Amino acid sequence: MSRLGTYTRRGFLIGSVAVAGGVVFGVRSYRANLENPLTAALGPGEAALTPYVKITADGITIITPRAEMGQGIHTTLASLVAEELDVDLADIAVEHGPPSSAYFNGGVVEEGYPFPATDQSALAEFARAQRDIPAVFLAYQITGGSTSTHDAYEKMRRAGAIARETLKAVAATRTGLPVADLKTQSGAVVLPDATRLPYTELAADAADVELADAPALRPKSEWRILGKSQDRLDVVAKSTGRAIYASDIRLPGMRFGVIRRSPYPIGTIRSFDATEALALPGVEAVLDIGTAVVAVATTTWAAMQALDAVTYDWTPPTYPADTEGHFAAIAAAFATNRPNSRQRDDRDVEAALNGAATSGAEVIEAEYRVPYLAHTTMEPMSAAALYQNGGLQIWAGTQGPTVARREAAKAAGIEEDAVTITTTLLGGGFGRRGEMDFVQNAVKVAIQMEGTPVLLTYSREDDTSRGPYRPAAIGRFKATVHNGLPVAVDVSTASPSILKGINDRGGSPASIPDIVPDFTISQALWDQPYGIENYRVTAYRSDPLLPVGFWRSVGASQNSFFHECMMDEIAVAAGRDPVEMRLDLITDDPSRRVLEAVAEMADWGTPLPEGRARGVAFALVFGAPTAQIVEVEQTPRGIRLTHAWVAADVGVALDPRNLDAQLISGVSYGLSAAIGEKITLSDGMVEQSNFHDYPPMRMYQAPPVTTRILENAPHIRGAGEPGTPCAAPALANAVFALTGERIRSLPLGDHIAFV
Amino acid sequence: MDITVNGTLHSLDLPDDTPLLWALRDGLGITGVKYGCGIAQCGACTVHIDGQAVRSCQVALGDTWGDVTTIEGLSAPDALHPVQQAWIAHQVAQCGYCQSGQIMQAVDLLSLNPTPTDEDIDQVMSGNLCRCATYPRIRAAIHTAASMMREA
């Protein structure tokens, strides 16, 4: 039976438990009464705890409870365990864990605390140390916020270490040799005479011995796997068509559903006529699921045809009918004079601005705008579900399986115990698969189609034109410049609230009251490590408009554009080089070093050929200081992006080649949006529907991206998002340097031609 | 409707105007071919018909003029196509959803042009979208595959 193991500094309780033919090693945390996610799959008399390592006669499996959406997290999480367990990555299997509050993500909660990442004060450290407690109770099994590695960094290595030591203890008992004489290597305990006892043969006994004390984790200098580039565990499957996404789930008797949501996002269906649709070949049902209509047929194509043959009567939109109306509503939030938050208010900005005239300082001000953005993951939203005998099975690529299970139960009107969720690979996430709509909708279909498994697919058109979206937002600043430096900076931002949207749509782990300031609105705007004497950051929350949610790098995706274009405008007004001015202002050493690194990488300051120019941006985002330089060239066909350089500090680089891929991906995602992506409205409907009018960056547009990872920051951080926020401002600043035109709204392609 | 996919003859009871994409995915359960846009804008559905890369979302089942090869039929598991080997060597895939189409397009490119330049690659591969932006590694992998195939 399960026993408590060693209580560690971070509050993790390591335990083991027998399973058929072997043992599971896992981690409990805090003294919460965590559920045991594997229990349901075990036989009588068996029990389980939070599993991270499962060893049976058949092999070694590492459970990686974060969603693999392209960021390589399965490989990195497996590496953490394998490093201490002494197994080779090639010899293990990985599984997404089932939904369980035990797989909480402490990192997500930390990201929401009101302390800048550079704040090393006792209070901030205390808050970080306490982060796991609310996370457990909120059942945050969430993949997002670039938090997976720092959440797992210690606990998954420790699970591996204790498993290793316990297997050694089994070998010692079996052989009569002292533990100190035993070594471990490549999945086996090695005796002094070089005899190998494979873990798979020791596993059955491992559940019966006392767990070894938690040994000290191996120092970085002894790492064999971590710190070195690893082949992705999913790379062969993803190069041979064998990787299974939710869209690829096929079950006996499966039917295919396609959804048509209201063209007025947030709206519902009043009535519809499916007479013609039901007469089409292969069409079996046209269902009213309240907020949408779903056609079910023998193929996805037949279901799509059926939806086109339905006539709909939708409730009219409750928000402004066109884009300008949305920006007017956002601008109105500033006028309320009721800030949602003011997380920075250094010295006296008002006095500094008012006194500028007498002090001889120059005053500059400007307004910036960013549009709504779609995520357009390559795999449109989908989920498979089967409801039979009172049980509901779901297959989904979700970034939040515990919340998905709750929402599934709610949509079905059954208990959570009756719901099982299998997390598949995700064909891109970028925040979109943290939404619950595709699970809720698949469940509503499954309930009406009891006994028949249905795969629900969103058409690309539905996915693109119904949301949720990255919020549209407005940024404003007023600054005074004196003797080559900003003396006062007053920056503010307004947008609809992501947290309110997610809360209202059922995507939040716990209810978020309206009175709680939405930290995403001011994210990466208020906590930048610039030492400016008078510095004020205010965030305003507009009324709800289109549905908005998390989009790669969340609030930083607009706020770094506002802040870093502002810094460029200040540098111009101050007559300063934008890199040098920032270096004069930055108060945080790792932040300064990424900026110095990127300047060195790009040879910043050396003269460029005629027709070329560069822009720079810096941001401290998700705890990772990141700096970028983008170079552009004027060509007869428009502006071409010739190169991008990015330096980021993740504290500890676990897998350099994967970090390179993540930074390139993040930078490119940001550049893509900055050049040509926007969601606009007319007549209450979104005007974009597919890749022809919502054009992501293609290969011929994508610049080479040179990356550098630094390790000076005090905490390990993820790299899935930090590449994105600086892309737009670095590009916009480069365009200004090239053309003299200061473009203050995105996408830049609305104002100037790109190749 | 009879159709040969990856060397196997299948009989499908679907309307002739069903796009090949959906005939493969939903009719035959061959899911390596992906739906991304349905309007030939993303390339995720790329398969070969008689060795030529086509967007299977744009080919009606009834118009399929030859033998179909999907990524599943490109190679045997123990003898991967050089393009797949290069994809693995360069660790191209991230989310991986577009990669079947990318690989099928790249195989077609190299069959027509064994020594492509960066510009050649950009021109042919720009019809295949990747939201993870694996483009630099795709380009590098195609160069590697080209030299592997020349040396073979």
Side-chain angles (χ1 to χ4, degrees):
Chain A
M1 290 304 292
S2 164
R3 288 161 285 111
L4 297 183
T6 308
Y7 189 82
T8 71
R9 168 176 82 79
R10 294 287 298 279
F12 302 135
L13 301 172
I14 311 293
S16 71
V17 67
V19 294
V23 62
V24 167
F25 294 98
V27 180
R28 286 178 181 275
S29 61
Y30 200 53
R31 274 172 286 180
N33 185 20
L34 296 175
E35 59 182 313
N36 292 332
L38 283 197
T39 305
L42 298 176
E46 296 171 334
L49 73 171
T50 313
Y52 283 119
V53 188
K54 183 168 66 179
I55 306 176
T56 67
D58 296 330
I60 300 169
T61 303
I62 296 178
I63 290 92
T64 52
R66 295 288 166 263
E68 177 56 70
M69 46 192 172
Q71 79 281 44
I73 196 62
H74 279 189
T75 308
T76 298
L77 295 183
S79 298
L80 288 166
V81 175
E83 180 66 57
E84 290 286 342
L85 184 56
D86 280 331
V87 292
D88 297 331
L89 284 181
D91 298 335
I92 54 147
V94 295
E95 284 174 8
H96 270 128
S100 168
S101 59
Y103 296 125
F104 70 99
N105 183 345
V108 170
V109 173
E110 179 177 329
E111 188 60 38
Y113 276 123
F115 300 100
T118 49
D119 183 354
Q120 303 300 319
S121 69
L123 184 61
E125 286 295 319
F126 175 78
R128 282 188 196 98
Q130 295 300 309
R131 66 183 182 171
D132 302 336
I133 299 165
V136 168
F137 296 119
L138 292 173
Y140 260 141
Q141 184 183 349
I142 274 178
T143 308
S146 296
T147 54
S148 297
T149 46
H150 78 262
D151 169 65
Y153 182 51
E154 190 164 328
K155 60 187 173 189
M156 292 199 74
R157 282 188 299 155
R158 193 165 295 281
I162 289 181
R164 179 194 72 222
E165 291 304 312
T166 304
L167 290 160
K168 280 164 72 177
V170 171
T173 307
R174 208 180 268 190
T175 61
L177 292 165
V179 168
D181 288 355
L182 304 176
K183 295 193 167 18
T184 48
Q185 189 205 25
S186 298
V189 177
V190 183
L191 308 184
D193 66 0
T195 304
R196 293 171 60 83
L197 302 177
Y199 293 164
T200 47
E201 290 174 19
L202 299 168
D205 294 350
D208 299 327
V209 303
E210 278 302 309
L211 283 185
D213 282 346
L217 296 176
R218 287 173 175 160
K220 219 172 150 182
S221 58
E222 290 176 21
W223 284 351
R224 301 168 301 113
I225 298 172
L226 299 174
K228 299 177 181 66
S229 297
Q230 301 300 325
D231 283 359
R232 292 177 63 115
L233 297 170
D234 55 8
V235 75
V236 174
K238 287 178 175 177
S239 306
T240 54
R242 288 190 280 110
I244 299 297
Y245 305 84
S247 311
D248 301 331
I249 296 296
R250 295 293 180 274
L251 300 166
M254 180 169 250
R255 292 294 180 263
F256 300 90
V258 179
I259 193 167
R260 179 74 50 95
R261 294 180 288 164
S262 171
Y264 312 116
I266 310 177
T268 57
I269 186 85
R270 256 195 307 236
S271 67
F272 65 94
D273 180 352
T275 315
E276 255 184 72
L278 286 164
L280 293 173
V283 179
E284 300 192 349
V286 178
L287 310 173
D288 179 353
I289 62 164
T291 54
V293 174
V294 172
V296 179
T298 48
T299 66
T300 310
W301 173 252
M304 287 174 170
Q305 302 307 104
L307 287 177
D308 285 345
V310 174
T311 53
Y312 306 90
D313 181 13
W314 305 104
T315 57
T318 53
Y319 48 75
D322 60 17
T323 309
E324 275 315 301
H326 284 246
F327 278 108
I330 294 166
F334 290 107
T336 62
N337 260 330
R338 277 184 293 127
N340 187 245
S341 72
R342 176 167 283 162
Q343 284 160 286
R344 179 167 219 148
D345 196 359
D346 297 349
R347 196 102 178 251
D348 193 338
V349 167
E350 293 287 348
L353 290 172
N354 293 334
T358 50
S359 70
E362 186 184 349
V363 180
I364 57 171
E365 58 185 310
E367 179 180 295
Y368 282 77
R369 288 182 175 197
V370 298
Y372 292 110
L373 292 174
H375 307 75
T376 60
T377 59
M378 284 308 298
E379 181 192 21
M381 296 306 107
S382 63
L386 168 62
Y387 180 63
Q388 63 181 0
N389 305 326
L392 179 62
Q393 285 175 279
I394 298 162
W395 293 260
T398 170
Q399 290 176 243
T402 48
V403 181
R405 183 175 56 178
R406 183 194 71 201
E407 288 303 308
K410 203 187 288 178
I414 59 177
E415 295 296 314
E416 281 193 48
D417 291 352
V419 180
T420 58
I421 294 189
T422 303
T423 303
T424 62
L425 292 172
L426 283 63
F430 314 126
R432 180 64 182 88
R433 285 188 161 86
E435 297 288 335
M436 295 299 146
D437 57 316
F438 51 97
V439 172
Q440 294 160 334
N441 292 330
V443 167
K444 290 177 192 166
V445 173
I447 293 298
Q448 294 193 45
M449 297 290 294
E450 185 171 357
T452 301
V454 179
L455 173 68
L456 180 68
T457 298
Y458 286 32
S459 67
R460 173 62 65 198
E461 288 78 7
D462 200 279
D463 203 33
T464 305
S465 62
R466 268 67 167 173
Y469 300 112
R470 195 283 306 271
I474 298 174
R476 291 177 178 171
F477 80 90
K478 194 168 186 181
T480 66
V481 180
H482 194 53
N483 292 334
L485 285 173
V487 177
V489 165
D490 188 15
V491 57
S492 54
T493 184
S495 68
S497 167
I498 289 174
L499 291 188
K500 175 163 180 59
I502 289 184
N503 190 58
D504 291 353
R505 292 191 296 276
S508 174
S511 178
I512 304 169
D514 271 356
I515 53 160
V516 174
D518 183 341
F519 72 92
T520 71
I521 298 176
S522 59
Q523 190 181 6
L525 196 66
W526 66 279
D527 56 353
Q528 298 306 293
Y530 292 114
I532 297 167
E533 205 179 324
N534 306 278
Y535 197 175
R536 186 166 70 180
V537 181
T538 314
Y540 297 88
R541 170 172 149 170
S542 79
D543 288 338
L545 297 163
L546 282 187
V548 293
F550 297 126
W551 186 94
R552 197 171 193 170
S553 80
V554 196
S557 71
Q558 72 261 19
N559 287 333
S560 293
F561 174 66
F562 300 153
H563 197 283
E564 289 303 286
C565 288
M566 171 186 81
M567 293 303 281
D568 209 62
E569 293 209 44
I570 289 171
V572 170
R576 298 290 309 276
D577 175 276
V579 170
E580 283 174 14
M581 187 191 78
R582 283 180 178 83
L583 289 173
D584 281 354
L585 293 171
I586 288 176
T587 55
D588 171 54
D589 186 56
S591 295
R592 188 180 305 107
R593 293 211 216 175
V594 296
L595 188 53
E596 287 169 346
V598 83
E600 190 246 329
M601 290 158 65
D603 242 343
W604 178 266
T606 57
L608 293 170
E610 181 69 22
R612 287 201 185 200
R614 289 168 172 180
V616 64
F618 163 85
L620 175 61
V621 282
F622 300 96
T626 308
Q628 259 177 70
I629 291 172
V630 172
E631 184 182 279
V632 293
E633 178 186 34
Q634 187 67 62
T635 80
R637 293 182 298 135
I639 290 176
R640 187 173 76 92
L641 278 60
T642 54
H643 209 112
W645 296 264
V646 56
D649 194 325
V650 298
V652 181
L654 294 179
D655 186 331
R657 182 171 48 180
N658 190 51
L659 290 165
D660 172 71
Q662 284 309 294
L663 284 178
I664 292 173
S665 177
V667 169
S668 304
Y669 201 78
L671 290 174
S672 177
I675 292 170
E677 295 176 29
K678 61 175 174 182
I679 290 291
T680 57
L681 295 103
S682 66
D683 298 329
M685 288 183 281
V686 168
E687 295 179 296
Q688 293 76 24
S689 63
N690 205 321
F691 291 131
H692 65 291
D693 53 14
Y694 192 88
M697 194 161 68
R698 294 178 182 274
M699 184 186 272
Y700 74 93
Q701 300 167 300
V705 182
T706 305
T707 70
R708 187 182 294 175
I709 303 291
L710 287 82
E711 299 179 280
N712 302 310
H715 298 285
I716 187 168
R717 287 295 182 266
E721 291 169 286
T724 303
C726 284
L731 177 59
N733 294 340
V735 168
F736 173 78
L738 183 73
T739 65
E741 188 183 351
R742 180 66 71 183
I743 301 174
R744 296 193 179 91
S745 74
L746 297 179
L748 300 172
D750 276 1
H751 310 272
I752 196 161
F754 284 84
V755 168
Chain B
M1 186 67 219
D2 289 346
I3 182 172
T4 301
V5 183
N6 300 329
T8 305
L9 182 68
H10 298 275
S11 218
L12 269 170
D13 182 21
L14 288 175
D16 282 1
D17 64 353
T18 304
L20 178 59
L21 166 68
W22 297 113
L24 292 168
R25 285 185 57 81
D26 297 350
L28 297 176
I30 296 172
T31 57
V33 52
K34 303 300 189 198
Y35 164 64
C37 69
I39 58 168
Q41 287 287 311
C42 79
C45 68
T46 305
V47 301
H48 293 175
I49 299 181
D50 286 346
Q52 183 194 358
V54 298
R55 304 292 188 240
S56 64
C57 72
Q58 296 302 306
V59 177
L61 178 60
D63 293 340
T64 306
W65 60 86
D67 289 358
V68 177
T69 307
T70 70
I71 184 109
E72 289 93 339
L74 186 62
S75 63
D78 53 350
L80 294 182
H81 190 284
V83 169
Q84 293 172 304
Q85 293 178 40
W87 241 249
I88 291 164
H90 286 274
Q91 297 284 299
V92 172
Q94 289 189 32
C95 93
Y97 190 79
C98 72
Q99 297 299 342
S100 298
Q102 303 275 3
I103 288 169
M104 296 308 279
Q105 188 65 51
V107 169
D108 185 53
L109 161 66
L110 291 174
S111 75
L112 298 170
N113 180 355
T115 54
T117 62
D118 279 349
E119 289 68 34
D120 296 337
I121 294 172
D122 281 3
Q123 197 163 18
V124 173
M125 300 303 295
S126 282
N128 289 73
L129 281 174
C130 174
R131 284 296 269 160
C132 306
T134 60
Y135 302 130
R137 290 190 186 183
I138 289 176
R139 203 183 283 133
I142 290 174
H143 285 303
T144 297
S147 50
M148 286 165 69
M149 290 164 79
R150 278 199 302 275
E151 285 156 21

